[in-house]
Amino acid sequence: MRFDVITLFPEMFGALTESGVSRRALQKQLYSLNTWNPREFTHDRHKTVDDRPYGGGPGMVMMYQPLKDSVDAIRQAQTTKPHVIYLSPQGQPLTQEKVAQLAQLDSITLLCGRYEGIDERLLQTEVDEEICIGDFVVSGGELPAMMLMDSLIRLLPGALGHDQSAEQDSFSDGLLDCPHYTRPEEVNGMRVPEVLLQGNHAKIDAWRHQQKLLRTEQRRPDLLARYQDGE
Ligand SMILES: NC(=O)c1ccc(NC2CCCC2)nc1
């Protein structure tokens, strides 16, 4: 998977490349990451990337030209046609199902907005889809972009060791995850459920599935409805 990211803060993406599963996956060349700073596509002395909004109002808007030139440079840099995603509260809510679909692509370009957002004309002409990672606002598209990237990277073959698997995740089967325990068997008077200690894997699987259903019913009945409809 090739990732290209358009961002005013490329250094933020060290959070992905420096730690954990995403660091190891990069080392294993399961994906590549190129960041592109719109400031490098400006032509004025002050490297202007934002300007005041037409119609007035607070804040600034990211200008079309530096972003368009960034997208053009990304298209020039590869033979694949990248799938261009803009992260914003106006986007389609992200689900694990959507992540699984996106994980099949070869090249994804992520556009990270700042200020009040980007000129609408860039959205209309260069962006394939808008995605929202939750109904809340953050100061830039970078953290949402990194969350989307992490959810994709961990699905790439070889990213998770054989002893972890993305299939058993929450949501991968449409249900919430079951409880997890590890040593010691008893801590502060709290014991691990006996079924997990007996090594009967049919019973363990049954218990875990029942716990997933129970948890989903208690905490996210909306998901249960979808699960039962086999959606
Ligand atoms: N929930 C989200 O996926 C999300 C994405 C971007 C954002 N802020 C950006 C959007 C334009 C300027 C800052 N806030 C929230």
Side-chain angles (χ1 to χ4, degrees), residues 63 95 169 219:
M63 296 167 73
T95 64
D169 274 355
R219 302 182 187 189

mmCIF file with all atom_site columns, all heavy atoms in Angstrom, residues 63 95 169 219:
data_model
loop_
_atom_site.group_PDB
_atom_site.id
_atom_site.type_symbol
_atom_site.label_atom_id
_atom_site.label_alt_id
_atom_site.label_comp_id
_atom_site.label_asym_id
_atom_site.label_entity_id
_atom_site.label_seq_id
_atom_site.pdbx_PDB_ins_code
_atom_site.Cartn_x
_atom_site.Cartn_y
_atom_site.Cartn_z
_atom_site.occupancy
_atom_site.B_iso_or_equiv
_atom_site.pdbx_formal_charge
_atom_site.auth_seq_id
_atom_site.auth_comp_id
_atom_site.auth_asym_id
_atom_site.auth_atom_id
_atom_site.pdbx_PDB_model_num
ATOM 1  N N   . MET A 1 63  ? -6.038  27.566 0.759  1.00 0.00 ? 63  MET A N   1
ATOM 2  C CA  . MET A 1 63  ? -6.217  27.978 -0.629 1.00 0.00 ? 63  MET A CA  1
ATOM 3  C C   . MET A 1 63  ? -6.114  26.794 -1.598 1.00 0.00 ? 63  MET A C   1
ATOM 4  O O   . MET A 1 63  ? -5.433  25.806 -1.341 1.00 0.00 ? 63  MET A O   1
ATOM 5  C CB  . MET A 1 63  ? -5.133  29.010 -0.980 1.00 0.00 ? 63  MET A CB  1
ATOM 6  C CG  . MET A 1 63  ? -5.249  30.291 -0.184 1.00 0.00 ? 63  MET A CG  1
ATOM 7  S SD  . MET A 1 63  ? -3.771  31.283 -0.360 1.00 0.00 ? 63  MET A SD  1
ATOM 8  C CE  . MET A 1 63  ? -3.992  31.854 -2.053 1.00 0.00 ? 63  MET A CE  1
ATOM 9  N N   . THR A 1 95  ? -16.253 2.944  9.160  1.00 0.00 ? 95  THR A N   1
ATOM 10 C CA  . THR A 1 95  ? -16.558 1.678  9.837  1.00 0.00 ? 95  THR A CA  1
ATOM 11 C C   . THR A 1 95  ? -15.470 0.666  9.496  1.00 0.00 ? 95  THR A C   1
ATOM 12 O O   . THR A 1 95  ? -14.715 0.861  8.530  1.00 0.00 ? 95  THR A O   1
ATOM 13 C CB  . THR A 1 95  ? -17.900 1.103  9.323  1.00 0.00 ? 95  THR A CB  1
ATOM 14 O OG1 . THR A 1 95  ? -17.740 0.804  7.919  1.00 0.00 ? 95  THR A OG1 1
ATOM 15 C CG2 . THR A 1 95  ? -19.037 2.090  9.525  1.00 0.00 ? 95  THR A CG2 1
ATOM 16 N N   . ASP A 1 169 ? -10.738 -9.193 15.831 1.00 0.00 ? 169 ASP A N   1
ATOM 17 C CA  . ASP A 1 169 ? -10.935 -7.861 16.409 1.00 0.00 ? 169 ASP A CA  1
ATOM 18 C C   . ASP A 1 169 ? -12.382 -7.585 16.744 1.00 0.00 ? 169 ASP A C   1
ATOM 19 O O   . ASP A 1 169 ? -13.276 -8.212 16.195 1.00 0.00 ? 169 ASP A O   1
ATOM 20 C CB  . ASP A 1 169 ? -10.583 -6.820 15.341 1.00 0.00 ? 169 ASP A CB  1
ATOM 21 C CG  . ASP A 1 169 ? -9.119  -6.524 15.335 1.00 0.00 ? 169 ASP A CG  1
ATOM 22 O OD1 . ASP A 1 169 ? -8.412  -7.052 16.203 1.00 0.00 ? 169 ASP A OD1 1
ATOM 23 O OD2 . ASP A 1 169 ? -8.696  -5.786 14.458 1.00 0.00 ? 169 ASP A OD2 1
ATOM 24 N N   . ARG A 1 219 ? -23.942 -2.681 25.347 1.00 0.00 ? 219 ARG A N   1
ATOM 25 C CA  . ARG A 1 219 ? -23.268 -1.389 25.109 1.00 0.00 ? 219 ARG A CA  1
ATOM 26 C C   . ARG A 1 219 ? -23.603 -0.770 23.752 1.00 0.00 ? 219 ARG A C   1
ATOM 27 O O   . ARG A 1 219 ? -23.580 0.441  23.627 1.00 0.00 ? 219 ARG A O   1
ATOM 28 C CB  . ARG A 1 219 ? -21.752 -1.572 25.175 1.00 0.00 ? 219 ARG A CB  1
ATOM 29 C CG  . ARG A 1 219 ? -21.261 -2.128 26.498 1.00 0.00 ? 219 ARG A CG  1
ATOM 30 C CD  . ARG A 1 219 ? -19.758 -2.231 26.518 1.00 0.00 ? 219 ARG A CD  1
ATOM 31 N NE  . ARG A 1 219 ? -19.245 -2.918 27.701 1.00 0.00 ? 219 ARG A NE  1
ATOM 32 C CZ  . ARG A 1 219 ? -17.942 -2.966 28.020 1.00 0.00 ? 219 ARG A CZ  1
ATOM 33 N NH1 . ARG A 1 219 ? -17.055 -2.357 27.247 1.00 0.00 ? 219 ARG A NH1 1
ATOM 34 N NH2 . ARG A 1 219 ? -17.530 -3.630 29.079 1.00 0.00 ? 219 ARG A NH2 1
#
